[in-house]
Amino acid sequence: MINEASKFPGKDRSDKGKWVGPWMPQWRDRGENGPFTTLRKLYSDIQDASEGLKAKRDALKQTGKYTQAGIVDQLKEVARAETIPGIRTAAAEQVRKYRLEIESRRAAMKPFDHDPKDIVSEMRRQEVRAWLRTMTPDKRTEAVRGASDPLIKEAALSVPVELTGLLPSTRVDLTRELIEARYGDEIAALNELDAAVQTVERAVDGARSDVREALGMLEHDFNAEFRDVEDEIDRLAEIRASKPQPKIDFDSVMSSVKGLNVDEQEQLLNTIKLEQKRADDRAFRDEIARLSGKAA
């Protein structure tokens, strides 16, 4: 059941108990639009898609007009034309976009800016490295790890590890510390967005599992039955991804994470509602209709 009365609305597990996770109250944008708003809608749409197929199954049973095999055949048509596209599109398009953007932002984080034209700073770093080389390995590691001046850590990171006398693990720790000190707010925002994206990814897996259970199919048979639809959705997503996309407003995400307080959480929890189903664009619908006609 979808936990509409819960503080954390959403279906946190699939019908077979597969963990999805609730939608957390801090995952929201300050304005009406933004990454969290988009992902929250996907989260709801994905779960609505699988619930809709089960409702269709129950309605067919109540008519008494169909055998069990007839019901399954009817449901397969609905799954092919509506349910699978409704679930798969989220993973193939929006979720992929956010995942790539998060990874790109993290990869772009550097422990410090290195300006080869800044001769004075480079001379200071050389002096620090010369000083470090006068120490024993243990003292050298202790001095770098405990340094309050970032320049000391920068000096140890701006040349290959072999020239510093430090262990590779120490270098990894230093890099992480400098990045965290430099991008603390952005890292926190990315972590929240990443957690929301992972929840939507699990919702896709959970909903797909629910559809398979509703059809009474083994996983192998289900994959074979709907592989062409899913492959086509992925192909269309690749085409769309090749076109210029608007950048995610991470300043808005950071502001939302930093500005959240208890009163705002309560207000959010009291106003969250299920949103209208997301409409696919015309090209996508035409393609799915073509596949459905081909399969008929």
Side-chain angles (χ1 to χ4, degrees):
M1 298 290 291
I2 294 181
N3 308 318
E4 294 183 11
S6 171
K7 283 188 175 182
F8 307 104
K11 180 178 173 180
D12 56 12
R13 292 183 185 275
S14 71
D15 290 345
K16 288 295 184 180
K18 191 172 186 177
W19 175 248
V20 173
W23 193 259
M24 305 301 289
Q26 67 266 30
W27 298 341
R28 53 111 171 182
D29 301 296
R30 281 186 169 272
E32 295 182 356
N33 300 305
F36 290 121
T37 302
T38 299
L39 290 168
R40 175 66 177 88
K41 189 173 189 304
L42 291 175
Y43 178 79
S44 296
D45 289 350
I46 290 164
Q47 297 188 358
D48 287 348
S50 60
E51 293 296 320
L53 184 71
K54 288 182 285 184
K56 178 69 173 178
R57 176 197 59 192
D58 295 341
L60 290 172
K61 287 181 178 180
Q62 290 178 1
T63 66
K65 296 180 180 179
Y66 300 94
T67 63
Q68 181 60 34
I71 290 175
V72 171
D73 288 341
Q74 292 288 320
L75 292 178
K76 284 182 178 179
E77 292 182 8
V78 175
R80 172 173 287 273
E82 300 175 12
T83 312
I84 297 297
I87 294 171
R88 186 74 174 190
T89 304
E93 294 185 15
Q94 293 289 352
V95 173
R96 176 188 298 181
K97 180 184 75 173
Y98 288 120
R99 169 64 58 214
L100 291 175
E101 185 70 17
I102 290 169
E103 292 173 356
S104 175
R105 298 280 294 202
R106 284 174 171 163
M109 293 180 179
K110 305 299 180 185
F112 59 91
D113 290 325
H114 179 68
D115 182 3
K117 297 181 180 180
D118 188 348
I119 304 301
V120 174
S121 294
E122 182 55 35
M123 291 179 64
R124 291 182 62 195
R125 285 192 285 267
Q126 289 180 4
E127 292 175 356
V128 169
R129 288 192 289 271
W131 169 64
L132 290 174
R133 284 194 290 269
T134 65
M135 303 178 181
T136 63
D138 290 344
K139 288 293 185 180
R140 184 184 304 120
T141 299
E142 181 181 348
V144 175
R145 284 187 178 275
S148 58
D149 187 348
L151 180 68
I152 295 177
K153 295 179 180 179
E154 291 176 11
L157 293 175
S158 58
V159 295
V161 67
E162 292 81 5
L163 300 181
T164 64
L166 297 173
L167 294 173
S169 59
T170 301
R171 184 185 181 91
V172 170
D173 291 342
L174 293 176
T175 300
R176 185 188 67 252
E177 290 171 7
L178 288 178
I179 289 177
E180 289 176 350
R182 189 177 189 188
Y183 301 98
D185 291 339
E186 185 174 353
I187 289 173
L190 284 172
N191 288 344
E192 290 292 345
L193 187 59
D194 193 2
V197 167
Q198 290 182 44
T199 299
V200 175
E201 290 172 334
R202 289 194 299 270
V204 170
D205 291 339
R208 194 174 184 274
S209 176
D210 286 350
V211 170
R212 181 174 61 79
E213 290 294 333
L215 295 174
M217 300 179 70
L218 297 175
E219 186 169 358
H220 176 271
D221 295 334
F222 181 86
N223 291 340
E225 179 81 23
F226 298 106
R227 179 61 64 196
D228 61 335
V229 176
E230 294 182 326
D231 287 348
E232 184 65 13
I233 292 170
D234 291 345
R235 187 186 71 80
L236 292 172
E238 288 286 353
I239 293 174
R240 292 188 183 93
S242 66
K243 299 177 181 179
Q245 300 290 327
K247 288 293 185 180
I248 297 173
D249 185 1
F250 275 99
D251 289 337
S252 174
V253 177
M254 291 169 63
S255 178
S256 298
V257 173
K258 292 168 64 178
L260 194 68
N261 58 48
V262 175
D263 292 337
E264 289 175 331
Q265 288 183 20
E266 288 298 323
Q267 182 180 6
L268 169 68
L269 296 174
N270 290 332
T271 57
I272 289 181
K273 296 178 181 179
L274 291 176
E275 301 177 62
Q276 295 181 344
K277 282 193 174 183
R278 178 172 174 259
D280 296 316
D281 60 64
R282 183 179 302 276
F284 175 77
R285 286 189 178 278
D286 289 346
E287 202 63 38
I288 296 304
R290 180 183 68 77
L291 283 172
S292 298
K294 182 177 67 176

